[in-house]
Amino acid sequence: MATPLLRLRNIRKQYSQGDAFLEVLKGVDVDIYAGEFVAIMGASGSGKSTLMNILGCLDRPSSGTYEFAGQEVSHLKDDELAWLRREAFGFVFQSYHLIAASNASENVEIPAVYAGLPAAKRRERAQQLLTRLGLGDRLYHTPSELSGGQQQRVSIARALMNGGSIILADEPTGALDSQSSQEVMVLLSELADEGHTVILITHDAQVAQHAERVIEFKDGMIINDTGHNKNKQTPLPPKLLNLKSAASSKSVSVLVESLEAISMALRSLKENWFRTVLTLLGIVIGVGSVVAMLAIGQGAKDDVLERFSSMGTNLLVVQPGADRFARRSADGGMTSLLPEDVPVLAQLANVKAAVPESTTGVTARAGGLDTTTRVNATSADYPMLRDWLPQEGVFFSHEDNDRYAAVAVIGQSVARELFPQGGPVGEFVLLNNIPFQILGVMSEQGATPWGQDADDIIFIPLSTGSLRVSGNRYVDRITVAVFDTASIEQTEEALRQALVQQHNGNEDFRVRNMASIVASATAANNTLTILLGSIAAISLLVGGIGVMNIMLVSVTERTREVGIRMATGARTRNILQQFLVEAVVVSILGGIIGVLGGLGVAALIGAWLMPVTFSIPIMVLAFACAAGTGLVFGFTPALKAARLDPVIALSS
């Protein structure tokens, strides 16, 4: 006698109920041969559906042996069982088990998706099967638009999609009217005549009469078997004769699987668009916040650095006053730096220029207008030191300083206040009632790093200021420019020693290194940027938690769909991919919208409130974080879906 297609020996199945066990199958022995039309008949609760689940590799027995074409099934891994369900079995369920969001053609195509059949070929085959079963005009109707009989025919077409060598029909007529029941049974009989092995589970004796062999089931045991027709033998497809080899062969590339997973994910997200929007919102807010906050932080940092850079980063600023040697003049100013110190510093190695400055507040008048401003008495090297040149006219010269000339160069703010009609060059301005001729107007500078208006100032020669404006021979500071900033610290030390010697051993001054100040400002702004980014990242984290919550809800709602996909041959990784890809796709869409939204918000802030700086690496990082968020927070729900028990999932 030929080897049975399906051989069960002493199959038992137990379920735990608290501290007790319920035994549903009690030592079942049965052989089913290829090409048979077998009806397993029994009352509800007799265990026949549990037997079908074990036969179809949806469930495992508690004990006993199950052989498929002479090969032990219990030795197969989960993905190998999935291959067997996909390539050997076709399921027809009482409740149809169609995916509600998919049309008839898409439902029929599901087994071929996991078999790796190209989209065009599986669509063509699905249409051929549906047309053969009388549903050619219902290809694109969803299950809710089909009658019970039509849905069951869709289920049969799905069972035949990958060949359906073995059709397992669990109460296929239980939910149908008599006419539809008769049509379904005729279809199953035709499939048996074509060589398919048909195993029918039913409680109806009239339905069982369509089968060639009837196995009666009661209380988990076979009580009667009409026997096998020894004259009927149907050869099995070669691929089913070596399960281990065929199941382990990789017929579908990772790329194809990924593309199919993306396609299914987009379809699912479209069907649940409102929930998708809510999920997107968390990611959009998180990514948008990161992009906007970091753009603001980087803009503030660049603005401060630009202001410091405009003042010069190659500068050493010498100011009077050290605690032990502090002396003050009658007006409260510090008295330690003199104009005579300037030539001493100017001759040091690596010194480009040494410029004294003495600042005094004055009232300036011209043409019947007046303004309170600052006068900076300095030398002719000031424009070169600060890289700040006149926009109109010229700056005063060394000769002007030597002859105590009453000349001035004014800033843009002063020019607007005193000469609103323009043309200040050549005019006179009164500084504390002393007339000064205007030689030039400085270019626009803007605010200093500490918020002062750099253009609200008037420059005059140091000698003239000491004699005619402030009456003070001391200077407020001496600014030294160096050639090589790499050696600025050595120059600072040389400057310190020269001044100590010039001041008879007294270190009655302080030296500020502008390069170190810029470095400190950069560090402070980096800290601020990190703080802003961290606050925004919290939003992204909250969005990720939202993704996880929504995906967990989605898994719960779609448990039955997961069971259907597993019954039609989905591997563990297919289910994992589908839900994981859904989470990643949502996050990527949210990342794209979030980046665009963040750019828009930052642009508005930059246009109305404060400077911002857009950074492509930051945008890429935010987008990558969004995708990573979907991957990390979507993994747990996806893993939960992949680990579902097919039988439990189907009964959900």
Side-chain angles (χ1 to χ4, degrees):
M1 183 177 292
T3 302
L5 173 59
L6 307 177
R7 167 171 282 180
L8 280 69
R9 288 295 179 269
N10 197 28
I11 293 293
R12 297 180 181 273
K13 182 64 178 178
Q14 295 177 333
Y15 295 101
S16 61
Q17 292 185 335
D19 296 333
F21 288 93
L22 174 63
E23 191 170 38
V24 179
L25 299 181
K26 305 173 182 179
V28 175
D29 294 326
V30 67
D31 292 337
I32 297 176
Y33 293 85
E36 281 195 293
F37 186 0
V38 181
I40 299 177
M41 187 180 70
S44 298
S46 61
K48 58 186 186 300
S49 292
T50 302
L51 179 62
M52 188 204 77
N53 291 332
I54 291 174
L55 288 171
C57 300
L58 292 172
D59 201 359
R60 293 178 184 266
S62 301
S63 62
T65 60
Y66 172 24
E67 294 180 0
F68 184 98
Q71 302 161 88
E72 178 57 55
V73 173
S74 63
H75 297 160
L76 299 179
K77 299 176 182 178
D78 287 343
D79 283 355
E80 292 170 339
L81 291 174
W83 181 91
L84 195 55
R85 290 194 295 268
R86 182 172 62 253
E87 301 295 339
F89 294 102
F91 294 90
V92 180
F93 299 99
Q94 177 180 353
S95 53
Y96 322 129
H97 284 330
L98 302 178
I99 297 176
S102 301
N103 60 41
S105 179
E106 291 168 342
N107 269 286
V108 173
E109 291 176 37
I110 292 175
V113 170
Y114 299 120
L117 194 67
K121 290 185 178 180
R122 66 174 183 253
R123 190 175 300 114
E124 180 183 358
R125 175 160 173 75
Q127 292 175 359
Q128 288 175 351
L129 288 171
L130 288 169
T131 301
R132 172 189 169 185
L133 298 180
L135 296 176
D137 58 342
R138 293 288 188 270
L139 298 176
Y140 305 110
H141 287 63
T142 60
S144 61
E145 298 170 329
L146 301 173
S147 67
Q150 290 172 332
Q151 290 185 62
Q152 195 61 287
R153 277 184 277 171
V154 172
S155 178
I156 293 172
R158 182 180 63 193
L160 296 172
M161 186 64 189
N162 286 347
S165 298
I166 306 167
I167 304 296
L168 294 172
D170 185 12
E171 299 282 7
T173 62
L176 302 179
D177 57 48
S178 58
Q179 178 63 32
S180 298
S181 298
Q182 184 63 30
E183 292 174 356
V184 167
M185 291 311 304
V186 169
L187 283 173
L188 292 177
S189 298
E190 291 175 354
L191 294 175
D193 293 339
E194 292 172 4
H196 295 272
T197 303
V198 180
I199 301 174
L200 173 68
I201 307 296
T202 184
H203 67 280
D204 190 337
Q206 291 185 343
V207 172
Q209 288 177 359
H210 288 81
E212 302 165 351
R213 175 185 176 188
V214 178
I215 300 173
E216 293 186 51
F217 221 69
K218 183 177 182 181
D219 296 332
M221 296 181 293
I222 294 176
I223 60 172
N224 187 39
D225 185 349
T226 59
H228 163 58
N229 181 2
K230 299 179 181 180
N231 296 322
K232 184 176 182 180
Q233 293 290 336
T234 301
L236 274 176
K239 66 180 179 180
L240 300 180
L241 297 177
N242 191 344
L243 298 183
K244 277 286 185 180
S245 175
S248 60
S249 63
K250 190 170 182 60
S251 58
V252 187
S253 69
V254 174
L255 177 61
V256 172
E257 283 188 352
S258 299
L259 292 175
E260 290 293 349
I262 292 172
S263 175
M264 287 187 289
L266 291 174
R267 188 181 300 119
S268 175
L269 294 174
K270 180 181 177 182
E271 291 297 329
N272 298 280
W273 66 268
F274 187 68
R275 184 170 63 196
T276 302
V277 169
L278 293 179
T279 310
L280 279 174
L281 193 58
I283 299 296
V284 168
I285 292 174
V287 173
S289 299
V290 169
V291 172
M293 288 292 191
L294 292 181
I296 292 170
Q298 188 65 35
K301 172 185 171 182
D302 292 346
D303 183 57
V304 170
L305 291 180
E306 183 180 353
R307 293 176 189 273
F308 273 111
S309 297
S310 67
M311 296 175 62
T313 57
N314 63 332
L315 303 180
L316 295 170
V317 181
V318 185
Q319 294 177 309
D323 292 340
R324 289 189 300 144
F325 304 103
R327 300 189 304 277
R328 296 182 179 275
S329 61
D331 62 358
M334 301 297 296
T335 60
S336 63
L337 296 180
L338 295 169
E340 290 79 5
D341 296 330
V342 176
V344 175
L345 301 181
Q347 67 183 3
L348 294 175
N350 195 37
V351 171
K352 182 179 181 182
V355 177
E357 296 181 67
S358 181
T359 305
T360 307
V362 299
T363 299
R365 296 184 178 86
L369 301 174
D370 63 76
T371 183
T372 301
T373 185
R374 294 171 293 121
V375 166
N376 188 350
T378 185
S379 74
D381 292 330
Y382 185 90
M384 180 267 293
L385 177 84
R386 299 292 186 182
D387 193 23
W388 186 11
L389 301 175
Q391 180 175 302
E392 301 178 47
V394 296
F395 205 81
F396 55 79
S397 64
H398 290 288
E399 289 76 9
D400 292 327
N401 187 66
D402 293 341
R403 63 187 181 86
Y404 297 84
V407 294
V409 180
I410 63 176
Q412 289 283 346
S413 297
V414 176
R416 285 191 292 267
E417 289 289 335
L418 299 182
F419 302 95
Q421 303 302 321
V425 177
E427 300 294 332
F428 285 85
V429 59
L430 296 177
L431 304 179
N432 292 344
N433 296 319
I434 300 172
F436 283 75
Q437 187 177 21
I438 299 173
L439 298 181
V441 180
M442 301 298 286
S443 58
E444 189 84 30
Q445 189 77 353
T448 63
W450 43 88
Q452 190 177 33
D453 184 3
D455 300 305
D456 187 13
I457 196 168
I458 298 176
F459 297 99
I460 62 174
L462 179 65
S463 59
T464 308
S466 299
L467 178 66
R468 308 184 67 177
V469 178
S470 67
N472 183 8
R473 63 184 301 267
Y474 297 98
V475 297
D476 295 335
R477 60 189 170 276
I478 301 173
T479 305
V480 177
V482 301
F483 287 106
D484 183 12
T485 55
S487 304
I488 194 169
E489 293 182 359
Q490 293 88 332
T491 306
E492 179 182 354
E493 183 58 29
L495 179 151
R496 190 184 309 278
Q497 293 177 5
L499 274 183
V500 168
Q501 185 176 357
Q502 175 75 7
H503 291 193
N504 300 318
N506 295 330
E507 191 172 342
D508 52 355
F509 57 87
R510 293 173 289 121
V511 182
R512 290 192 306 161
N513 187 330
M514 292 300 294
S516 64
I517 293 175
V518 171
S520 298
T522 301
N525 277 279
N526 285 339
T527 301
L528 176 62
T529 302
I530 292 172
L531 177 62
L532 291 174
S534 300
I535 294 172
I538 293 173
S539 300
L540 189 56
L541 177 64
V542 173
I545 295 173
V547 170
M548 178 183 285
N549 287 337
I550 294 297
M551 290 307 298
L552 285 171
V553 171
S554 178
V555 171
T556 302
E557 288 182 350
R558 296 162 60 191
T559 298
R560 183 165 166 268
E561 176 190 333
V562 172
I564 294 171
R565 294 187 181 278
M566 287 181 169
T568 51
R571 308 167 186 84
T572 300
R573 70 171 181 267
N574 295 137
I575 302 299
L576 183 67
Q577 278 179 343
Q578 180 178 347
F579 284 90
L580 195 56
V581 166
E582 284 186 26
V584 172
V585 167
V586 167
S587 298
I588 288 176
L589 291 175
I592 294 172
I593 298 171
V595 168
L596 296 176
L599 291 176
V601 171
L604 289 176
I605 293 174
W608 296 98
L609 298 176
M610 60 188 298
V612 298
T613 300
F614 298 111
S615 171
I616 292 179
I618 287 177
M619 297 179 203
V620 173
L621 178 62
F623 179 78
C625 286
T629 297
L631 193 64
V632 171
F633 287 94
F635 183 76
T636 298
L639 188 62
K640 177 184 177 183
R643 288 180 172 176
L644 286 172
D645 187 303
V647 173
I648 296 175
L650 280 171
S651 63
S652 172

